[in-house]
Amino acid sequence: MGKKIFVSYKYADSDVRKITNDYFHTDTVRDYVNKLEEKIGKSDIYKGESDDNDLSQLTDDSIWNQLKQKIYDSSITIVLISPNMKTLWKSEKDQWIPQEISYSLKEITHNGTRKSKSNALIYVILPDKYNSYDYFIQKSYWDTETYRYDKIFSIMKNNLNNYKYSSDISYAVIVKWDTFLNNYSTYINSAIKKQENIDSYNICKQI
């Protein structure tokens, strides 16, 4: 595909629709990342860990140093929205997903080399274990879709409806999992187009 994608997600959230064929396996959001790799191409996907890379024994600083390099080398950030992506009792500043999004939107000079651009941004809403999106998407009185912003991080909310002058009102592309998987290139290209016109949006880069 030619574009490097960093995927930000809550690894162990198991409150999602089963997508593997293993009856004895408890599916988590990580299985959706595997499906993205199958669909888009493993070489184009960066994630928080590699299959042979156990981060559990590393300190938070060591993990973050690894994550920053992967984010810096990417140009698109996909955030997987899942029912339990937020840890309610923990500050957003102390959770990985908002940190990853913030870093990916900043212009960073790394090791004295080239300065990175703000990443394109896509939110992919995963179905819950009942195969429903209702935990995040609600129907209004006029039958239009509205979002449960309390289910996502503030930096995510602040990059929706943040246009200055654009026919596309949000910098972040937001799409349901099934729709995205069936036509992912369209949504990636839409996000890249917005990235190329980033000055049309009030980009929130801080947690």
Side-chain angles (χ1 to χ4, degrees), residues 164-180:
K164 289 189 287 186
Y165 39 84
S166 173
S167 58
D168 293 320
I169 65 171
S170 298
Y171 182 68
V173 172
I174 185 164
V175 57
K176 295 176 184 176
W177 167 260
D178 296 297
T179 306
F180 179 75

Side-chain angles (χ1 to χ4, degrees), residues 53-65:
N53 184 16
D54 180 9
L55 300 182
S56 62
Q57 303 304 313
L58 300 179
T59 65
D60 283 356
D61 285 344
S62 297
I63 293 171
W64 182 233
N65 285 331

